[in-house]
Amino acid sequence: MITLKEYLKNHLTHEETNNFIANTKRFRMFFNRNKNKSAYYSMRSAFDFNIAPEGKFYWNNKLKKINDVVFTYHPNGKIKSIIPIINGEIHKYCYFFDQNEQLQKIIKHSENCSSVIFEKKIIHLN
């Protein structure tokens, strides 16, 4: 996973990093909370691209250069989800697991909607 810290250091020019910092309110607090999290999701939540002086198109182009796989984890440390990011977009398929890392759902994304294409059925015996 490309972290925000790595992305700002290795994937943006010095000027671009300064622009990102200038656009992000309370940057130091934001950075400390998100530096080891996904660059893709952190950048999405940093500020409203529509009001950035560089414009929405500029920052969306930066996001389009991100190819990554984001892992989220349950409190017990086991994988909760695998979300591929390709060219700055969530990939067509995302995978979700239970706390024992057993596949529970596969969600298919399209431009207008998301749909569950696999869901593990739980059978309760009475």
Short mmCIF file of all heavy atoms in Angstrom, two decimals, residues 85-123:
data_model
loop_
_atom_site.label_atom_id
_atom_site.label_comp_id
_atom_site.label_asym_id
_atom_site.label_seq_id
_atom_site.Cartn_x
_atom_site.Cartn_y
_atom_site.Cartn_z
N ILE A 85 -6.77 -0.28 -6.30
CA ILE A 85 -6.93 1.05 -6.90
C ILE A 85 -6.11 1.03 -8.19
O ILE A 85 -4.90 0.82 -8.16
CB ILE A 85 -6.40 2.17 -5.98
CG1 ILE A 85 -6.97 2.07 -4.57
CG2 ILE A 85 -6.61 3.54 -6.60
CD1 ILE A 85 -8.44 2.32 -4.46
N ILE A 86 -6.77 1.23 -9.33
CA ILE A 86 -6.08 1.23 -10.61
C ILE A 86 -6.38 2.54 -11.32
O ILE A 86 -7.54 2.89 -11.53
CB ILE A 86 -6.51 0.03 -11.47
CG1 ILE A 86 -6.14 -1.26 -10.75
CG2 ILE A 86 -5.87 0.09 -12.86
CD1 ILE A 86 -6.57 -2.52 -11.43
N ASN A 87 -5.31 3.25 -11.65
CA ASN A 87 -5.42 4.56 -12.30
C ASN A 87 -6.34 5.49 -11.54
O ASN A 87 -7.15 6.21 -12.11
CB ASN A 87 -5.87 4.42 -13.76
CG ASN A 87 -4.87 3.64 -14.58
OD1 ASN A 87 -3.67 3.71 -14.34
ND2 ASN A 87 -5.35 2.86 -15.52
N GLY A 88 -6.21 5.51 -10.22
CA GLY A 88 -6.96 6.42 -9.38
C GLY A 88 -8.43 6.09 -9.21
O GLY A 88 -9.20 6.90 -8.74
N GLU A 89 -8.83 4.89 -9.56
CA GLU A 89 -10.22 4.47 -9.41
C GLU A 89 -10.26 3.14 -8.66
O GLU A 89 -9.37 2.31 -8.80
CB GLU A 89 -10.89 4.27 -10.78
CG GLU A 89 -10.99 5.53 -11.63
CD GLU A 89 -11.98 6.53 -11.09
OE1 GLU A 89 -12.96 6.13 -10.44
OE2 GLU A 89 -11.77 7.73 -11.31
N ILE A 90 -11.31 2.96 -7.87
CA ILE A 90 -11.49 1.67 -7.21
C ILE A 90 -11.74 0.63 -8.29
O ILE A 90 -12.55 0.83 -9.18
CB ILE A 90 -12.67 1.72 -6.22
CG1 ILE A 90 -12.33 2.69 -5.07
CG2 ILE A 90 -12.98 0.34 -5.66
CD1 ILE A 90 -13.46 2.91 -4.09
N HIS A 91 -10.99 -0.45 -8.23
CA HIS A 91 -11.09 -1.51 -9.23
C HIS A 91 -12.48 -2.13 -9.24
O HIS A 91 -13.24 -2.01 -8.29
CB HIS A 91 -10.04 -2.59 -8.93
CG HIS A 91 -9.94 -3.64 -9.98
ND1 HIS A 91 -10.49 -4.87 -9.83
CD2 HIS A 91 -9.35 -3.64 -11.21
CE1 HIS A 91 -10.25 -5.61 -10.91
NE2 HIS A 91 -9.56 -4.87 -11.76
N LYS A 92 -12.77 -2.81 -10.30
CA LYS A 92 -14.09 -3.42 -10.48
C LYS A 92 -14.48 -4.34 -9.34
O LYS A 92 -15.63 -4.39 -8.93
CB LYS A 92 -14.11 -4.19 -11.80
CG LYS A 92 -15.46 -4.76 -12.17
CD LYS A 92 -15.37 -5.62 -13.40
CE LYS A 92 -15.49 -4.79 -14.64
NZ LYS A 92 -15.57 -5.60 -15.86
N TYR A 93 -13.54 -5.07 -8.76
CA TYR A 93 -13.85 -6.05 -7.71
C TYR A 93 -13.12 -5.72 -6.41
O TYR A 93 -11.92 -5.46 -6.42
CB TYR A 93 -13.47 -7.46 -8.14
CG TYR A 93 -14.22 -7.93 -9.36
CD1 TYR A 93 -13.61 -7.94 -10.60
CD2 TYR A 93 -15.55 -8.33 -9.26
CE1 TYR A 93 -14.32 -8.34 -11.73
CE2 TYR A 93 -16.25 -8.74 -10.38
CZ TYR A 93 -15.62 -8.75 -11.61
OH TYR A 93 -16.33 -9.15 -12.72
N CYS A 94 -13.85 -5.74 -5.29
CA CYS A 94 -13.29 -5.56 -3.96
C CYS A 94 -13.69 -6.77 -3.12
O CYS A 94 -14.78 -7.32 -3.30
CB CYS A 94 -13.83 -4.29 -3.30
SG CYS A 94 -13.36 -2.81 -4.19
N TYR A 95 -12.81 -7.17 -2.22
CA TYR A 95 -12.99 -8.41 -1.46
C TYR A 95 -13.07 -8.11 0.03
O TYR A 95 -12.26 -7.33 0.56
CB TYR A 95 -11.81 -9.35 -1.75
CG TYR A 95 -11.61 -9.55 -3.23
CD1 TYR A 95 -10.77 -8.70 -3.96
CD2 TYR A 95 -12.28 -10.55 -3.90
CE1 TYR A 95 -10.61 -8.87 -5.33
CE2 TYR A 95 -12.12 -10.72 -5.27
CZ TYR A 95 -11.29 -9.87 -5.98
OH TYR A 95 -11.14 -10.03 -7.33
N PHE A 96 -14.02 -8.74 0.71
CA PHE A 96 -14.24 -8.50 2.13
C PHE A 96 -14.23 -9.82 2.89
O PHE A 96 -14.81 -10.80 2.44
CB PHE A 96 -15.58 -7.77 2.33
CG PHE A 96 -15.59 -6.43 1.67
CD1 PHE A 96 -15.99 -6.30 0.35
CD2 PHE A 96 -15.17 -5.30 2.35
CE1 PHE A 96 -15.97 -5.06 -0.28
CE2 PHE A 96 -15.15 -4.06 1.73
CZ PHE A 96 -15.55 -3.94 0.41
N PHE A 97 -13.56 -9.80 4.06
CA PHE A 97 -13.33 -11.02 4.83
C PHE A 97 -13.86 -10.87 6.25
O PHE A 97 -13.98 -9.76 6.77
CB PHE A 97 -11.82 -11.30 4.90
CG PHE A 97 -11.19 -11.45 3.55
CD1 PHE A 97 -10.71 -10.34 2.86
CD2 PHE A 97 -11.07 -12.69 2.96
CE1 PHE A 97 -10.14 -10.46 1.61
CE2 PHE A 97 -10.49 -12.83 1.71
CZ PHE A 97 -10.03 -11.71 1.03
N ASP A 98 -14.14 -12.02 6.90
CA ASP A 98 -14.54 -11.98 8.31
C ASP A 98 -13.29 -11.95 9.18
O ASP A 98 -12.16 -11.88 8.67
CB ASP A 98 -15.47 -13.14 8.66
CG ASP A 98 -14.80 -14.51 8.57
OD1 ASP A 98 -13.55 -14.58 8.44
OD2 ASP A 98 -15.51 -15.51 8.64
N GLN A 99 -13.46 -12.01 10.49
CA GLN A 99 -12.33 -11.91 11.41
C GLN A 99 -11.42 -13.13 11.39
O GLN A 99 -10.35 -13.12 12.00
CB GLN A 99 -12.83 -11.62 12.82
CG GLN A 99 -13.43 -10.23 12.91
CD GLN A 99 -13.74 -9.80 14.32
OE1 GLN A 99 -13.44 -10.50 15.29
NE2 GLN A 99 -14.35 -8.64 14.45
N ASN A 100 -11.82 -14.18 10.69
CA ASN A 100 -10.96 -15.35 10.51
C ASN A 100 -10.36 -15.40 9.12
O ASN A 100 -9.85 -16.43 8.69
CB ASN A 100 -11.76 -16.63 10.78
CG ASN A 100 -12.24 -16.70 12.20
OD1 ASN A 100 -11.49 -16.39 13.12
ND2 ASN A 100 -13.48 -17.08 12.40
N GLU A 101 -10.46 -14.30 8.39
CA GLU A 101 -9.98 -14.15 7.01
C GLU A 101 -10.65 -15.10 6.03
O GLU A 101 -10.05 -15.53 5.06
CB GLU A 101 -8.45 -14.26 6.94
CG GLU A 101 -7.74 -13.11 7.60
CD GLU A 101 -6.23 -13.12 7.41
OE1 GLU A 101 -5.65 -14.20 7.22
OE2 GLU A 101 -5.65 -12.03 7.45
N GLN A 102 -11.91 -15.42 6.30
CA GLN A 102 -12.70 -16.21 5.36
C GLN A 102 -13.46 -15.23 4.47
O GLN A 102 -14.09 -14.30 4.97
CB GLN A 102 -13.69 -17.12 6.11
CG GLN A 102 -13.02 -18.14 7.00
CD GLN A 102 -12.17 -19.11 6.21
OE1 GLN A 102 -12.63 -19.69 5.24
NE2 GLN A 102 -10.93 -19.30 6.63
N LEU A 103 -13.41 -15.45 3.17
CA LEU A 103 -14.08 -14.56 2.22
C LEU A 103 -15.58 -14.50 2.51
O LEU A 103 -16.23 -15.53 2.61
CB LEU A 103 -13.84 -15.04 0.78
CG LEU A 103 -14.41 -14.16 -0.33
CD1 LEU A 103 -13.75 -12.78 -0.32
CD2 LEU A 103 -14.20 -14.83 -1.68
N GLN A 104 -16.10 -13.29 2.66
CA GLN A 104 -17.51 -13.10 2.95
C GLN A 104 -18.27 -12.48 1.78
O GLN A 104 -19.40 -12.84 1.52
CB GLN A 104 -17.69 -12.19 4.18
CG GLN A 104 -17.14 -12.78 5.45
CD GLN A 104 -17.81 -14.07 5.83
OE1 GLN A 104 -19.02 -14.12 6.00
NE2 GLN A 104 -17.04 -15.14 5.96
N LYS A 105 -17.63 -11.52 1.09
CA LYS A 105 -18.30 -10.83 -0.01
C LYS A 105 -17.30 -10.44 -1.07
O LYS A 105 -16.15 -10.15 -0.78
CB LYS A 105 -18.94 -9.52 0.47
CG LYS A 105 -20.21 -9.63 1.20
CD LYS A 105 -20.77 -8.24 1.47
CE LYS A 105 -21.98 -8.32 2.37
NZ LYS A 105 -22.51 -7.00 2.70
N ILE A 106 -17.80 -10.41 -2.30
CA ILE A 106 -17.09 -9.77 -3.40
C ILE A 106 -18.07 -8.76 -3.96
O ILE A 106 -19.21 -9.10 -4.28
CB ILE A 106 -16.67 -10.76 -4.50
CG1 ILE A 106 -15.73 -11.83 -3.94
CG2 ILE A 106 -16.01 -10.01 -5.66
CD1 ILE A 106 -15.37 -12.94 -4.92
N ILE A 107 -17.63 -7.52 -4.04
CA ILE A 107 -18.49 -6.46 -4.56
C ILE A 107 -17.92 -6.00 -5.90
O ILE A 107 -16.73 -5.76 -6.03
CB ILE A 107 -18.58 -5.29 -3.58
CG1 ILE A 107 -19.27 -5.77 -2.30
CG2 ILE A 107 -19.32 -4.11 -4.19
CD1 ILE A 107 -19.42 -4.72 -1.23
N LYS A 108 -18.82 -5.91 -6.88
CA LYS A 108 -18.45 -5.44 -8.21
C LYS A 108 -18.90 -3.99 -8.34
O LYS A 108 -20.05 -3.66 -8.09
CB LYS A 108 -19.14 -6.29 -9.28
CG LYS A 108 -18.81 -5.87 -10.69
CD LYS A 108 -19.51 -6.75 -11.70
CE LYS A 108 -19.19 -6.30 -13.12
NZ LYS A 108 -19.89 -7.11 -14.11
N HIS A 109 -17.96 -3.13 -8.71
CA HIS A 109 -18.25 -1.71 -8.90
C HIS A 109 -18.39 -1.41 -10.38
O HIS A 109 -17.63 -1.90 -11.20
CB HIS A 109 -17.11 -0.85 -8.35
CG HIS A 109 -16.93 -0.96 -6.89
ND1 HIS A 109 -17.69 -0.24 -5.99
CD2 HIS A 109 -16.10 -1.72 -6.14
CE1 HIS A 109 -17.32 -0.54 -4.76
NE2 HIS A 109 -16.35 -1.44 -4.83
N SER A 110 -19.36 -0.59 -10.71
CA SER A 110 -19.45 -0.03 -12.05
C SER A 110 -19.59 1.47 -11.87
O SER A 110 -19.60 1.98 -10.76
CB SER A 110 -20.64 -0.62 -12.81
OG SER A 110 -21.85 -0.28 -12.18
N GLU A 111 -19.71 2.21 -12.96
CA GLU A 111 -19.73 3.66 -12.86
C GLU A 111 -20.90 4.18 -12.03
O GLU A 111 -20.76 5.16 -11.33
CB GLU A 111 -19.75 4.29 -14.25
CG GLU A 111 -18.42 4.16 -14.95
CD GLU A 111 -18.33 5.02 -16.17
OE1 GLU A 111 -19.03 6.05 -16.23
OE2 GLU A 111 -17.56 4.66 -17.06
N ASN A 112 -22.05 3.55 -12.12
CA ASN A 112 -23.23 4.08 -11.46
C ASN A 112 -23.67 3.33 -10.22
O ASN A 112 -24.50 3.83 -9.47
CB ASN A 112 -24.41 4.12 -12.45
CG ASN A 112 -24.12 5.03 -13.62
OD1 ASN A 112 -23.38 5.98 -13.49
ND2 ASN A 112 -24.71 4.73 -14.76
N CYS A 113 -23.16 2.12 -10.02
CA CYS A 113 -23.65 1.35 -8.88
C CYS A 113 -22.64 0.30 -8.46
O CYS A 113 -21.65 0.05 -9.13
CB CYS A 113 -24.99 0.70 -9.20
SG CYS A 113 -24.88 -0.56 -10.46
N SER A 114 -22.93 -0.31 -7.33
CA SER A 114 -22.14 -1.43 -6.83
C SER A 114 -23.11 -2.57 -6.56
O SER A 114 -24.24 -2.35 -6.16
CB SER A 114 -21.44 -1.05 -5.54
OG SER A 114 -20.53 -0.01 -5.76
N SER A 115 -22.65 -3.79 -6.79
CA SER A 115 -23.51 -4.93 -6.53
C SER A 115 -22.69 -6.06 -5.92
O SER A 115 -21.51 -6.22 -6.23
CB SER A 115 -24.20 -5.40 -7.81
OG SER A 115 -23.25 -5.74 -8.79
N VAL A 116 -23.33 -6.81 -5.06
CA VAL A 116 -22.69 -7.96 -4.43
C VAL A 116 -22.77 -9.12 -5.41
O VAL A 116 -23.85 -9.51 -5.83
CB VAL A 116 -23.40 -8.32 -3.11
CG1 VAL A 116 -22.79 -9.58 -2.51
CG2 VAL A 116 -23.32 -7.16 -2.13
N ILE A 117 -21.62 -9.65 -5.81
CA ILE A 117 -21.63 -10.78 -6.74
C ILE A 117 -21.36 -12.11 -6.04
O ILE A 117 -21.57 -13.16 -6.59
CB ILE A 117 -20.68 -10.59 -7.93
CG1 ILE A 117 -19.24 -10.47 -7.46
CG2 ILE A 117 -21.09 -9.40 -8.76
CD1 ILE A 117 -18.24 -10.56 -8.59
N PHE A 118 -20.85 -12.02 -4.80
CA PHE A 118 -20.67 -13.22 -3.98
C PHE A 118 -20.91 -12.83 -2.54
O PHE A 118 -20.43 -11.80 -2.07
CB PHE A 118 -19.25 -13.77 -4.11
CG PHE A 118 -18.94 -14.84 -3.08
CD1 PHE A 118 -19.37 -16.14 -3.29
CD2 PHE A 118 -18.26 -14.54 -1.92
CE1 PHE A 118 -19.10 -17.13 -2.34
CE2 PHE A 118 -17.99 -15.51 -0.98
CZ PHE A 118 -18.41 -16.81 -1.19
N GLU A 119 -21.69 -13.64 -1.85
CA GLU A 119 -21.87 -13.43 -0.41
C GLU A 119 -21.99 -14.80 0.24
O GLU A 119 -22.81 -15.62 -0.17
CB GLU A 119 -23.12 -12.60 -0.13
CG GLU A 119 -23.26 -12.24 1.33
CD GLU A 119 -24.25 -11.11 1.56
OE1 GLU A 119 -25.02 -10.78 0.65
OE2 GLU A 119 -24.23 -10.57 2.67
N LYS A 120 -21.15 -15.03 1.21
CA LYS A 120 -21.16 -16.30 1.92
C LYS A 120 -22.43 -16.37 2.76
O LYS A 120 -22.75 -15.46 3.50
CB LYS A 120 -19.94 -16.41 2.82
CG LYS A 120 -19.81 -17.74 3.51
CD LYS A 120 -18.52 -17.80 4.29
CE LYS A 120 -18.36 -19.14 4.96
NZ LYS A 120 -17.11 -19.21 5.70
N LYS A 121 -23.13 -17.45 2.61
CA LYS A 121 -24.38 -17.64 3.36
C LYS A 121 -24.06 -18.34 4.67
O LYS A 121 -23.31 -19.30 4.73
CB LYS A 121 -25.36 -18.45 2.55
CG LYS A 121 -25.73 -17.79 1.25
CD LYS A 121 -27.07 -18.27 0.78
CE LYS A 121 -27.36 -17.77 -0.59
NZ LYS A 121 -27.90 -16.51 -0.74
N ILE A 122 -24.63 -17.80 5.73
CA ILE A 122 -24.45 -18.38 7.05
C ILE A 122 -25.70 -19.18 7.38
O ILE A 122 -26.81 -18.66 7.34
CB ILE A 122 -24.20 -17.29 8.10
CG1 ILE A 122 -22.93 -16.53 7.76
CG2 ILE A 122 -24.12 -17.91 9.48
CD1 ILE A 122 -22.69 -15.31 8.62
N ILE A 123 -25.51 -20.45 7.68
CA ILE A 123 -26.63 -21.33 8.00
C ILE A 123 -26.66 -21.53 9.52
O ILE A 123 -25.68 -21.96 10.12
CB ILE A 123 -26.50 -22.70 7.29
CG1 ILE A 123 -26.47 -22.47 5.78
CG2 ILE A 123 -27.63 -23.62 7.70
CD1 ILE A 123 -26.16 -23.71 4.99
#
